[in-house]
Each structure stands twice: as C-alpha cells, then as structure tokens.
Amino acid sequence: MAVIVWLASALPLMAKTAEDQLGREIQIPDDPQRVVALAPSITEIIFALGQQERLKGTTQFSNYPAGAAKLPKVGSYVRLDLERIVALHPDLCIAIKDGNPKETIERLQSLNIPVFAVNPRNLETMMQTIQRVGDILNASVKAKTLVQAMRGRIQRVDALVASIEQRPRVFIQIGISPIISAGTNTFIHELIVRAGGINVAAGQKAYPHFSREQVLALAPDVLIITSMSRSGAFKKAEADWRRLIDTPAGLGKRIYTVDSDVFDRPSPRLLDALETLTRLLHPELFEDGS
Amino acid sequence: MNLNSEHHISRLAWLSLILLGVLLIAISLGLSIGPTQSGLRSALATLFSPGESDPVLYRIVWGIRLPRVLLATIVGATLSLGGLVFQALLRNPLAEPFILGVSGGSAIGAIIGILLGLSRFPGICFTSFLGSLGTLALILIMSTGKSILRKDALLLSGVMVNAFCSAIIMFLVSITQDARLHNIIFWLMGDLSASDLPQVAILGAILIPCFVIVFVFSHAMNLLMMGKDMALSMGINIRAVTLVLLIVTSFMVSATVSFSGLVGFVGLVIPHLLRLVLGPDHRILVPASLFGGAAYLVLCDLLARTLPQQGEMPAGVITALIGAPLFIILLKRSRK
C-alpha cells in the first residue's frame, strides 16, 4: 500500500522521457515548475518563451531581461555553486554543453536532479535549442512562432547582403589581454559571414590568441571589440587601437565597440547582433533610410 | 624503559583524543555552515538520521558538504604529514611539499594528465606521481653533496624548482585554448569542491595505508633527527628508510594534488605549531599532524566557502594567506 502511495506521488512528477541535445535520455517532469537555468543564454531563452514563472534561479551574469537580475543566483556558469542549486529545490536544470563543467552536471544528476543539456553551435541549432526548450516547458507553439520570426529576420539580412559587391575583412576581438578572436567554428564567425564580411581569424582553433602585431598583419578593414558593459577596459582597448592604426585604409574610422552579451550568448538576441553587424559592415545598404 | 613506553602510550592516547575532538568540531562546523542556513543541530540530525530529514537539506549535507569536508580532512592530514616527513628527512624545519616544489611537479603531471583526457584515478594520479618524483629527484640532486645540511641551499633549490614548475604550468595553460582552462586555473589554487563521496573514498583508500607506513617509521625518524651516527648505531638503514619515506610522501602528496590542486603551507603551519607544543617525538607528532592538519584545512575551507559574498574562493588562497607570513617569521627566527 505504502509503495503504491509512494509511486502515485512520484509518478506525476517524473512523467516524461526526453532526449536532450547531447542525445541523453532523461526523465523530466511533465510540467516543470522549478527550473534553474545554468547560463545567461538559457535564462534569456526562457524569458523569450514567456516561461519565466517557472524559472527559480539563474547564474551570476544573467542580467537580461530586467526580470532575470532579480532571480537568485547559483554561481557563474563556469563555476556553479552546487549547494545553491540544490537549495532552490529544482525539478529541472537546463545546462549548456559549451561552458558548464561536465563534472558539475554529473554531480547534479547523481543528486537526482534532472539536467537537460542544450548544445547550440550555430544559428540553426540555436533555433532548434529554443524549440526543444519550448517543448519541455510546454510552450511549443510560442517557440515555433519565435523561431519563425527569427528565420524571417535572418532571411531579410541574407537578402540585403546578397546584393553587396565587396566583403570587408573583419577582426572581432572578444578578449583584451591576451587578444582573443573567434575561429571558424563559432557563432561570431557565422555572424560575420552572414553579415557580409570575411573573418580574418577564421581557422581550426575556436578561440585563437593574437599579438597586436599579428592583428596588424592581418590588415582588417573593420575592427570590432565586444565589450562587457561592466568593464571600462574595453573602451581603453578601443582607444589603444585607434592610436595604433590610424593610417591603413581609413581603419581608424572603422573601429567599433559592441555589447558582448548580445554577441556571445546563443539566445534570440543573436539576431540583434546579426543586424547590428550588418549595419556596421555595410552601412551603404542602409543609407536610403530603410 | 617499560615505564617510559607506558607513559608514552597514554600520552599518545590523550593527545590523539584531544586532537580528534578538535577535528570533529571542525567537521561539524564544516557540515553545518553554508550558503543555505540550516544550523548545527538540523545539519547533524540530517547526518545521523537521514530518513527523517528535509530532502533538500539531506542532499546538501550528504551530497555536497560531506564529500567536501571529508576531502579537506584527508588532504589536510596528508599535506601536514608530508611536511612533517620532509622536515625530518631533510633535517630542515622549513621543508614542505609546496615550498620544495614537489606539489608543483605533481601539478605539471596532473595537468598533462588532464590535457590527455585521462580519468582522475588512476590516470591523473599516476602522471601526477611521476611529476612529483621528477621534482623530488631534481631537488635531491641539487641539494646533495657538501651542502646537504644547509638550509638555504635546499630552500633555494626548492624556490627554483617551483619557479620552473610554474613556468611549465603557465606554458601548458597558455597553449590550451579550450573550456577546461578556467577549471585548471581554479584547481591550481587548491579547490576542494569537485569531488563526490566515491572519489573521496578512493582517495582515502589510497592514503590511509600510507599514513600507517609513515607511522611505522616514526621511531626511525626520531633517530634520524638525532644524527646519522645515532641512527646507524641503533641499526637503522638510513638509505632505505629515507628512500621509502620520500617515495611514500611524494605519492601521498601527488594523490592529493590530483584531487584538489595546490594547497600550500599546510605542511609548514601545522607540524610547526605541534612541535612547539608537543616536542620532537615523531611517534606523537605523526598522529598529531594527521588530526591537526585535517582540522586546519577543514576550517580554512570553511572560510573559503563563507568569506566571499558570491560564489567561493579556492581553499589554497586561505592556507597561503595564513602560511606565507608564518613562513617568513619562521625563516627570520631560524636565522638568528
């Protein structure tokens, strides 16, 4: 009898089997009520899906949208605080493969907390991620609408860029000391190419390091620094570059600082990044006021 | 003689009990303090009667705090004992695995193991052990000869070995450009947060036999401290004893490094305090160092977990903040 009561109380909680984006079969609640998002991008996705009521905890730099900042924090996404996660009594954690330490994810599972891992690697898989998260949070329709809107925006950029004649050489700096850029297998590379540019840091290494001299040798036409609003160091980096490169090809006028949160996080805001980048690389496409 | 040894045993028993009590208090504090306030009583209730407790608190105490506190216990005991053994064998009160560079050598081995994608045990433990043996050999070669008894020669060679190890570590870290980087840097500073209970059990199973071996040799260490002639006349095979103890100690240290990174100065602070209080008898110092070092690291880790508002810092930061100034004081005193 006791067993039946126990089963009855346990079953509705763990009713779904889902396959996450790492191909693992996991048991998740039918209707998750206490979700902890283990990266800022996942927090943004959950808010974009309108499911923030379910969200009970996020990570340290989850600062967007405004509502996310008020939620309890469980450490940073590379350095999660297990105790804070467990104390929130989550019925589902959503993790990201590129960033969350594997050991922490395994320990959460050994503590009987289901972890659904997502693995967005480019714009296409990022939209799949949004759909999958929508599915497990019972917001499939909302996710579908969101993804369709995103596809529409990508197509508009593709159509604009199709008419360009010249692709500028672009260097995006995502770290100051050392100088770090993004190789071929990254979101940033995809954004540059889609926005009609050439990524001069393209290559096997995902996040290659450069010296100043190497950057100058690459002779980029446009230099973009992704800056965290919380650090003044990036403004200084921009000023340093201006001093260094004021001669070749008028580069001095094409050094920009953009918000790294928008460019780094695999969330719906990557579309904002794509549109911003297209404007920076091809201002001529927007001159007629469109 | 008989009376003497009876007196010795009762003194040993009393001291062990007292230090064990200190250790138990430290462990209770470590189990009951954390970002979720639970209080001492409910944390201990959860530990002893898990069935009746709040499931969230149960997971926190059993799944998160207990493995961490036990890891701090074992690592602290090992490092403290390691310091004691090095100080006896090298007849130098400032010798310690971290200062000598043995920990640094283990770290190089462990990082290579991590980069090769080996498992924690036995893979990384083994590469880490090889690294520690390598630096140990280097230190011994550099400091032997006429200068063996000179403190400065040994310490200087340790400083140089350490600098060399840091350079290699920085080299390895800077050629790695992947997500593991962040974790390696945190681990390098002495991180006790990454292990679960089965892993701590493995570490315990490796280390406890080593503790026993060192304890068996504690009388030999006393004789070594009295000088070579004394040891020889008492029938001690100096070379064999030294070799066994050095290898066992390096093995212990490298095992802890591969689980918890570089936690420095525990082996300096604790044996020193204990020698001041208890005198030079290693038959008492060995068990005392085990309990004392364990309690010390559990408390340092507690500080590391509770001092920062957000997140936590590595325990090695705290042990170095306390240990390094003490090292300078001791060095100045020993010069006088």
Side-chain angles (χ1 to χ4, degrees):
Chain A
M1 186 61 198
V3 173
I4 295 168
V5 171
W6 178 79
L7 274 179
S9 68
L11 272 179
L13 282 173
M14 295 290 171
K16 266 199 297 211
T17 303
E19 190 188 333
D20 71 6
Q21 287 191 309
L22 302 183
R24 309 174 313 159
E25 293 273 326
I26 52 160
Q27 292 286 316
I28 59 169
D30 223 4
D31 193 27
Q33 295 299 324
R34 304 191 57 82
V35 178
V36 175
L38 301 185
S41 57
I42 296 165
T43 307
E44 291 191 18
I45 289 174
I46 292 175
F47 270 88
L49 290 168
Q51 300 303 308
Q52 57 271 29
E53 288 299 306
R54 302 173 191 272
L55 198 56
K56 299 300 176 223
T58 64
T59 48
Q60 201 174 355
F61 298 113
S62 291
N63 48 5
Y64 184 90
K70 287 188 223 109
L71 288 162
K73 302 288 182 274
V74 294
S76 72
Y77 75 105
V78 284
R79 187 120 196 110
L80 295 162
D81 188 331
L82 272 178
E83 178 163 341
R84 284 180 207 270
I85 297 174
V86 172
L88 290 172
H89 200 27
D91 56 7
L92 178 66
C93 286
I94 303 181
I96 187 158
K97 180 182 179 257
D98 190 13
N100 291 150
K102 203 167 127 251
E103 298 79 18
T104 315
I105 302 309
E106 282 163 3
R107 288 198 65 197
L108 278 172
Q109 280 163 330
S110 71
L111 294 164
N112 289 323
I113 295 172
V115 182
F116 185 91
V118 299
N119 186 21
R121 298 176 308 281
N122 47 41
L123 285 174
E124 185 55 42
T125 47
M126 191 263 289
M127 290 186 284
Q128 288 167 15
T129 298
I130 292 174
Q131 187 63 56
R132 298 288 288 123
V133 172
D135 292 344
I136 59 172
L137 298 182
N138 299 332
S140 301
V141 180
K142 175 88 193 180
K144 205 169 171 189
T145 325
L146 185 61
V147 169
Q148 268 167 359
M150 290 169 69
R151 283 193 200 287
R153 287 169 74 184
I154 294 176
Q155 278 160 11
R156 271 198 295 282
V157 170
D158 286 350
L160 270 175
V161 169
S163 66
I164 57 168
E165 280 153 20
Q166 235 185 356
R167 290 179 164 260
R169 293 165 59 79
V170 184
F171 185 85
I172 292 200
Q173 183 182 352
I174 58 173
I176 315 178
S177 177
I179 297 169
I180 301 173
S181 187
T184 307
N185 216 351
T186 60
F187 280 99
I188 296 220
H189 177 85
E190 191 185 4
L191 292 179
I192 294 174
V193 173
R194 269 230 141 87
I198 297 167
N199 180 14
V200 293
Q204 278 296 308
K205 276 187 177 157
Y207 297 103
H209 293 199
F210 290 89
S211 68
R212 273 170 189 261
E213 201 172 320
Q214 287 167 331
V215 177
L216 293 183
L218 287 170
D221 301 310
V222 182
L223 196 144
I224 293 171
I225 303 165
T226 67
S227 120
M228 287 174 276
S229 43
R230 48 186 176 269
S231 155
F234 285 88
K235 277 285 166 208
K236 188 181 169 297
E238 188 184 341
D240 286 349
W241 279 123
R242 281 189 195 285
R243 262 197 302 280
L244 257 176
I245 0 178
D246 44 0
T247 38
L251 179 58
K253 292 195 186 91
R254 300 198 73 181
I255 299 177
Y256 307 102
T257 324
V258 293
D259 183 353
S260 65
D261 290 348
V262 179
F263 276 73
D264 293 351
R265 296 180 184 174
S267 80
R269 283 205 290 168
L270 268 186
L271 274 297
D272 299 348
L274 179 63
E275 287 159 0
T276 307
L277 198 57
T278 313
R279 274 172 195 277
L280 293 179
L281 300 190
H282 296 288
E284 74 277 5
L285 295 176
F286 299 87
E287 266 165 11
D288 53 355
S290 64
Chain B
M1 190 70 198
N2 204 7
L3 210 154
N4 191 8
S5 92
E6 238 171 61
H7 171 72
H8 166 76
I9 289 171
S10 76
R11 185 155 177 250
L12 178 63
W14 273 113
L15 279 168
S16 300
L17 272 181
I18 292 170
L19 284 165
L20 186 64
V22 173
L23 175 59
L24 287 178
I25 292 171
I27 289 178
S28 315
L29 288 175
L31 285 175
S32 52
I33 299 174
T36 28
Q37 300 298 331
S38 62
L40 185 64
R41 192 172 298 169
S42 53
L44 293 183
T46 305
L47 193 63
F48 292 113
S49 50
E52 301 150 26
S53 60
D54 172 24
V56 174
L57 192 60
Y58 172 77
R59 275 194 212 158
I60 289 175
V61 171
W62 276 87
I64 296 166
R65 289 186 194 160
L66 186 66
R68 184 170 184 149
V69 167
L70 290 182
L71 184 66
T73 306
I74 294 177
V75 171
T78 305
L79 293 176
S80 162
L81 186 62
L84 184 74
V85 173
F86 277 132
Q87 285 150 26
L89 293 181
L90 302 171
R91 269 157 282 176
N92 187 328
L94 296 174
E96 199 256 339
F98 184 73
I99 294 166
L100 291 177
V102 174
S103 301
S106 314
I108 293 177
I111 289 178
I112 292 173
I114 293 172
L115 294 181
L116 290 175
L118 301 179
S119 63
R120 180 82 62 89
F121 181 83
I124 294 175
C125 277
F126 182 70
T127 53
S128 168
F129 181 45
L130 290 184
S132 72
L133 282 185
T135 44
L136 184 68
L138 205 59
I139 296 163
L140 290 179
I141 291 168
M142 288 202 300
S143 60
T144 43
K146 282 177 191 164
S147 60
I148 187 163
L149 292 180
R150 287 191 42 208
K151 277 175 194 155
D152 299 353
L154 188 69
L155 289 181
L156 273 180
S157 49
V159 167
M160 282 304 109
V161 169
N162 238 334
F164 187 60
C165 289
S166 316
I168 292 181
I169 290 169
M170 283 303 137
F171 173 75
L172 291 172
V173 166
S174 58
I175 59 167
T176 332
Q177 298 181 352
D178 62 22
R180 288 173 294 187
L181 186 84
H182 189 92
N183 280 335
I184 288 179
I185 290 173
F186 212 87
W187 165 86
L188 268 179
M189 294 187 285
D191 178 20
L192 294 162
S193 70
S195 298
D196 56 12
L197 271 182
Q199 284 179 321
V200 176
I202 290 176
L203 188 63
I206 302 172
L207 291 177
I208 289 170
C210 299
F211 297 164
V212 175
I213 294 174
V214 175
F215 185 66
V216 168
F217 282 103
S218 56
H219 188 58
M221 279 196 277
N222 281 344
L223 298 173
L224 275 178
M225 289 291 274
M226 290 178 204
K228 276 188 176 169
D229 298 339
M230 184 70 178
L232 275 176
S233 71
M234 296 296 285
I236 300 280
N237 183 342
I238 296 179
R239 189 177 279 264
V241 168
T242 310
L243 204 64
V244 168
L245 282 174
L246 281 179
I247 290 176
V248 167
T249 310
S250 302
F251 176 72
M252 294 195 303
V253 170
S254 58
T256 61
V257 166
S258 60
F259 276 76
S260 62
L262 295 178
V263 180
F265 298 101
V266 177
L268 183 82
V269 174
I270 296 304
H272 256 281
L273 285 180
L274 293 173
R275 224 180 274 116
L276 277 180
V277 180
L278 305 177
D281 186 348
H282 283 80
R283 290 170 300 177
I284 286 177
L285 284 174
V286 167
S289 294
L290 285 173
F291 292 130
Y296 177 69
L297 190 56
V298 170
L299 292 175
C300 282
D301 181 50
L302 183 60
L303 283 179
R305 276 190 287 149
T306 49
L307 282 183
Q309 286 280 307
Q310 174 68 243
E312 57 192 38
M313 61 174 112
V317 173
I318 302 282
T319 60
L321 279 178
I322 299 174
L326 190 76
F327 176 84
I328 294 168
I329 294 169
L330 291 173
L331 186 66
K332 207 161 158 42
R333 253 220 234 139
S334 73
R335 278 280 175 82
K336 276 179 188 166

